[in-house]
Amino acid sequence: MIKKSTDIKKNKGLGALRRSVPGWLLILPTILLFILIVWRPILMAFGYSFFKLKGFEVVEFIGLKNFMDVLSDTNFLKTLWNTVQYVLWGLLIGFPLPFIIAVFINEMTKTKGFFKVVSYLPVVIPTIATCLIWEMIYADGSGGLLNTVLSACGIAPMNWLSNSKLVIPLISVTRTWNFFGGTMILYLASLQSVDQSLYEAARLDGAGIISRVRYILLPHMSGILMLNLVRDIISIFQVTEQPLVMTGGGPNGASMSLGLTNYFYAFKYNQLDKSMALGVITFVLLIGLTYLYFKLEKKMND
């Protein structure tokens, strides 16, 4: 009897395995690409960070020296603080904007398709081109678009990207304009799944847009909002292209980020070993922040 029961369980297990084979075959290319493109470089960076490198040629094992050199750099703490400021400004400007625009588009009865296209268009513009466009907008003197508008209003031109207090917020505006459309589309798709009868009932009961967002939309979309919060933090923490193209890290290192420092280590100073070490440090910081976030979220939900 026991043997028969064991055989039945074994046959069920084999049957489930056979049924799952087509699914595994379908996702196998994605898994292989993920291993080759994502995890292989990460593991290689971890390994190389413990060696002295000449190009990609291993010279000798030096343990934690690369990490100590990076952490003892006098500009490391300033660069880390700049990166934190990028995250704070990026979340302040870029996190609520896609949701607000998605709600407004969702409320429209006409021209909804037009505003979807217009809002998404910046996403298809390459990042470098976006940076060059906004660099011209922020240009100092009478040549910049912002200063041209100010001059037309009788206001003296201002220094924008050369102002150390404004440079990070201005770069954050550029980055938000370039990428908010993709997140907005995700929010808009999520809004389509809201129970319309509940939404219309609230509207008929006299609930305003703020009340409908607070009591209907936010509870429904809390999951995707939290997911995008983590994604935004990870993405902004690695900001590189915008300060590279628009300021080169200036003025006086005011816009230098960890990602740009990593780029300079690798391609400007030809110190790939230190670049690997800084990449590992950034990876560990992001893993720590992500773990802390999920712990806090679990504690709040409990």
Side-chain angles (χ1 to χ4, degrees):
M1 188 69 179
I2 295 175
K3 184 178 179 181
K4 185 177 180 181
S5 176
T6 304
D7 290 341
I8 292 173
K9 289 181 180 179
K10 185 176 180 181
N11 290 333
K12 285 183 177 180
L14 290 173
L17 182 61
R18 291 192 191 99
R19 289 193 297 273
S20 66
V21 167
W24 281 107
L25 290 175
L26 284 173
I27 66 172
L28 183 61
T30 302
I31 294 174
L32 291 175
L33 285 174
F34 190 80
I35 291 172
L36 291 173
I37 297 174
V38 178
W39 283 107
R40 181 174 175 270
I42 290 174
L43 294 175
M44 288 178 65
F46 267 93
Y48 280 139
S49 63
F50 296 101
F51 292 87
K52 181 179 179 180
L53 302 178
K54 186 176 181 181
F56 282 98
E57 182 181 347
V58 175
V59 177
E60 60 177 320
F61 178 79
I62 55 175
L64 298 175
K65 188 177 184 306
N66 288 325
F67 295 94
M68 299 303 296
D69 289 344
V70 170
L71 294 173
S72 62
D73 191 315
T74 54
N75 293 318
F76 176 77
L77 290 179
K78 180 181 179 181
T79 303
L80 178 60
W81 172 237
N82 287 346
T83 306
V84 172
Q85 289 186 75
Y86 275 114
V87 173
L88 295 176
W89 279 105
L91 293 179
L92 180 65
I93 299 170
F95 183 67
L97 184 64
F99 179 74
I100 293 170
I101 294 178
V103 170
F104 276 119
I105 293 177
N106 191 59
E107 289 287 316
M108 292 177 180
T109 55
K110 297 180 180 179
T111 67
K112 187 179 290 189
F114 170 77
F115 282 100
K116 284 182 186 178
V117 174
V118 170
S119 299
Y120 189 76
L121 272 178
V123 178
V124 304
I125 302 175
T127 302
I128 301 301
T130 299
C131 294
L132 293 173
I133 292 170
W134 281 85
E135 186 181 8
M136 289 186 288
I137 292 174
Y138 294 140
D140 295 341
S142 59
L145 179 60
L146 276 178
N147 281 333
T148 300
V149 173
L150 290 178
S151 297
C153 297
I155 303 174
M158 295 178 58
N159 295 327
W160 298 101
L161 293 177
S162 58
N163 187 325
S164 59
K165 294 182 180 179
L166 293 177
V167 64
I168 289 180
L170 292 176
I171 291 176
S172 298
V173 169
T174 301
R175 191 183 182 283
T176 297
W177 183 84
N178 197 181
F179 295 116
F180 83 91
T183 307
M184 182 272 298
I185 291 295
L186 290 176
Y187 288 154
L188 200 55
S190 181
L191 287 171
Q192 305 308 307
S193 63
V194 175
D195 188 345
Q196 294 301 309
S197 62
L198 181 63
Y199 202 69
E200 289 301 321
R203 192 197 302 269
L204 292 173
D205 287 341
I209 181 64
I210 295 178
S211 297
R212 295 199 300 273
V213 169
R214 180 179 178 184
Y215 295 108
I216 299 176
L217 298 186
L218 285 178
H220 172 77
M221 298 182 63
S222 59
I224 191 170
L225 284 168
M226 292 300 102
L227 180 64
N228 276 314
L229 176 64
V230 176
R231 192 191 69 169
D232 283 353
I233 292 173
I234 293 173
S235 177
I236 299 169
F237 207 88
Q238 301 174 75
V239 61
T240 302
E241 297 96 332
Q242 291 80 11
L244 172 64
V245 175
M246 298 177 71
T247 64
N252 296 321
S255 61
M256 185 69 71
S257 66
L258 288 177
L260 185 54
T261 303
N262 201 332
Y263 175 86
F264 281 169
Y265 272 137
F267 300 105
K268 186 176 181 180
Y269 308 132
N270 197 28
Q271 297 177 325
L272 285 173
D273 41 14
K274 290 183 176 59
S275 174
M276 301 287 185
L278 182 55
V280 171
I281 292 170
T282 304
F283 178 80
V284 171
L285 285 173
L286 288 173
I287 290 293
L289 288 172
T290 306
Y291 175 77
L292 179 63
Y293 160 77
F294 282 116
K295 290 290 287 185
L296 290 174
E297 184 192 29
K298 184 179 179 182
K299 189 174 181 180
M300 289 173 64
N301 290 337
D302 292 342

